[in-house]
Amino acid sequence: MDFRFTEEQSMFADAVRNFAKRNLADGALARAHEETFPRGLKSMMHEQGLLGITIAEEHGGLGGTLMDAVIAIEQIALVCPRSADVIQEGNFGAVRTLAQYATPDQRERFLMPVLRGEEVIAVAMTEPDAGSATTDLTTTATPDGEGFRIKGAKVFPNPNADQYLVYVRFGPGVRGIGSVMIRKGTEGFRVGEPAHFMSGAQWAPLYFDDVYVPPDDVLLPAGGFKKQISGFNAERIGNAARALAYGRYCFNEARTYALERKQFGRALCEFQGLQWKFSDMKTEMEAAQLLLYRAASNADRGLPAADETTMAKLMCNQVGFKLTNEAIQVMGGLGYSQEALIEYCFRRSRGWMIAGGSLEMMRNRLAENIFDRRFSQRPPKNEATA
């Protein structure tokens, strides 16, 4: 079993890293503290062939693999952590679901502007009373002629997106859930007052007041929930890749600092306490990397990978956050300062332990796989109706 990159993968990684050094190193700190999504980089990423990597050529993408997209995220994040968001948005999440299930007309109107770097797409799934319990969503799609009227609210999406993939309820139960595409500016669609995550990035509530969606903008009708949620296996690979890449960035910065910084007349790396800290960090980082690469590689080969992507997300989220935290400890006041990217990576990586499926939900899913049975988190029916 060969754990090294192929020659093509090594060449691709080198090319992406060199591109990042040339174009993204300058301004990386300022970019991290911008509130809005760095959409100005999308055209550049498109020209470099870094958008739509995982999407089939017949659907307008590059026909690459999940491993290619993981490599791109890693190499970009090692130079400019914030710019990895652009790679994520152009290769994982809503864009993959859209590419897989859209009609040719929908791909032309919604997918291609994203892949060309012209527009930003976001998922509108979470609601005020439906987070991990996604099937509790109450945003409704009521028939109106040939189309539907959308009514409800969503929370936490990017308020600066141009288009949204919106989870809606066409009818009762899980089988009643599907999704529609809605553009900003559509009558009845309102973006609420922006708020901020701990990372500094913006989010805002979305309100749908009888928004009319024509039949041509229905992505998945009733019964499409399982198709939509299956896309989270790939989404978790993107989430895990960013979390671990941020951790590796901080590890590298802390290592350089420990080599150069002196206290008591000695370089920090000469103190055994730090030597052991870095040894543990390195071991955990490489273990998480192996889980990530296994999940991505097996998913590319079409093997069942739900448990592998779950383990990769669980491990990479925890290790990535630990690496950022330890790097702050090593670098002291400088690591804690906004004059370095370490504290940004710390704040950002904390959010990925919630987004895309919380660590608790990942453990629940793994337990189901271990015991080969479903564990409902809902109370028994007699208890719920008591």
Side-chain angles (χ1 to χ4, degrees):
M1 191 174 291
D2 191 348
F3 292 100
R4 296 170 298 180
F5 280 171
T6 65
E7 183 178 354
E8 287 185 355
Q9 288 172 333
S10 294
M11 291 174 61
F12 179 62
D14 289 343
V16 176
R17 175 78 74 88
N18 290 332
F19 159 77
K21 288 179 177 178
R22 290 193 310 270
N23 298 282
L24 303 173
D26 290 343
L29 180 61
R31 207 171 285 125
H33 294 295
E34 292 176 357
E35 292 183 344
T36 57
F37 183 86
R39 67 164 62 230
L41 299 177
K42 290 204 65 176
S43 294
M44 185 193 305
M45 298 295 192
H46 164 65
E47 292 171 5
Q48 190 64 23
L50 297 177
L51 302 183
I53 294 172
T54 62
I55 294 172
E57 291 184 69
E58 60 266 29
H59 295 162
L62 300 175
T65 66
L66 283 170
M67 267 301 299
D68 293 333
V70 167
I71 291 170
I73 285 177
E74 290 176 341
Q75 297 305 315
I76 293 292
L78 286 174
V79 176
C80 177
R82 184 67 189 279
S83 295
D85 290 353
V86 181
I87 307 300
Q88 168 80 10
E89 183 259 357
N91 290 284
F92 293 95
V95 73
R96 280 179 59 88
T97 303
L98 182 57
Q100 186 168 359
Y101 299 114
T103 65
D105 171 65
Q106 288 172 339
R107 291 192 187 103
E108 185 60 35
R109 291 187 295 115
F110 293 105
L111 178 63
M112 294 312 299
V114 175
L115 299 186
R116 290 193 297 263
E118 299 165 357
E119 294 188 358
V120 173
I121 188 172
V123 172
M125 177 175 65
T126 302
E127 298 184 355
D129 296 317
S132 295
T134 310
T135 54
D136 286 352
L137 69 87
T138 59
T139 297
T140 56
T142 305
D144 183 357
E146 295 184 349
F148 297 88
R149 292 284 176 180
I150 312 302
K151 192 173 186 62
K154 303 289 183 178
V155 292
F156 303 138
N158 174 8
N160 303 297
D162 302 289
Q163 51 174 287
Y164 294 87
L165 193 162
V166 185
Y167 281 52
V168 296
R169 180 172 294 287
F170 292 96
V174 174
R175 294 181 179 179
I177 299 175
S179 57
V180 298
M181 299 301 302
I182 300 180
R183 286 190 179 280
K184 185 179 286 185
T186 301
E187 185 177 357
F189 174 34
R190 180 169 62 88
V191 178
E193 192 68 25
H196 294 84
F197 290 116
M198 182 190 291
S199 66
Q202 288 185 333
W203 70 270
L206 306 181
Y207 301 103
F208 306 96
D209 186 11
D210 286 331
V211 176
Y212 181 73
V213 171
D216 290 345
D217 290 353
V218 174
L219 181 63
L220 284 168
F225 179 74
K226 289 186 177 180
K227 290 181 179 179
Q228 290 173 169
I229 213 69
S230 67
F232 269 88
N233 285 334
E235 170 68 12
R236 285 167 185 152
I237 290 175
N239 177 303
R242 275 196 298 178
L244 191 59
Y246 274 35
R248 190 177 290 275
Y249 173 91
C250 294
F251 175 89
N252 290 346
E253 291 293 298
R255 177 185 176 277
T256 299
Y257 185 83
L259 283 166
E260 298 174 351
R261 175 71 166 171
K262 288 189 167 90
Q263 290 290 288
F264 305 106
R266 304 169 63 189
L268 291 183
C269 64
E270 295 180 19
F271 292 93
Q272 189 179 61
L274 283 190
Q275 292 169 9
W276 287 8
K277 186 186 292 287
F278 274 93
S279 295
D280 289 344
M281 291 163 66
K282 176 72 170 177
T283 301
E284 293 179 33
M285 181 169 62
E286 296 305 318
Q289 189 88 75
L290 287 173
L291 282 174
L292 173 61
Y293 284 177
R294 182 184 70 167
S297 297
N298 283 346
D300 283 330
R301 289 196 287 268
L303 301 177
D307 60 330
E308 294 179 357
T309 57
T310 299
M311 283 188 284
K313 183 183 188 299
L314 180 63
M315 186 70 164
C316 289
N317 282 176
Q318 293 179 111
V319 172
F321 180 69
K322 179 179 179 179
L323 293 172
T324 65
N325 188 42
E326 293 285 25
I328 289 176
Q329 194 68 24
V330 170
M331 296 177 65
L334 179 60
Y336 194 60
S337 167
Q338 289 194 346
E339 298 308 308
L341 278 165
I342 307 299
E343 63 84 31
Y344 168 76
C345 292
F346 171 86
R347 291 185 285 112
R348 193 69 190 278
S349 63
R350 182 61 184 84
W352 288 321
M353 292 193 279
I354 301 170
S358 69
L359 299 189
E360 292 76 14
M361 292 302 294
M362 296 299 96
R363 291 185 172 96
N364 290 344
R365 294 292 171 262
L366 279 177
E368 292 179 345
N369 181 267
I370 291 167
F371 293 105
D372 195 25
R373 57 175 290 191
R374 180 89 166 88
F375 295 109
S376 175
Q377 302 305 308
R378 301 181 185 278
K381 288 185 178 180
N382 60 340
E383 190 177 313
T385 57

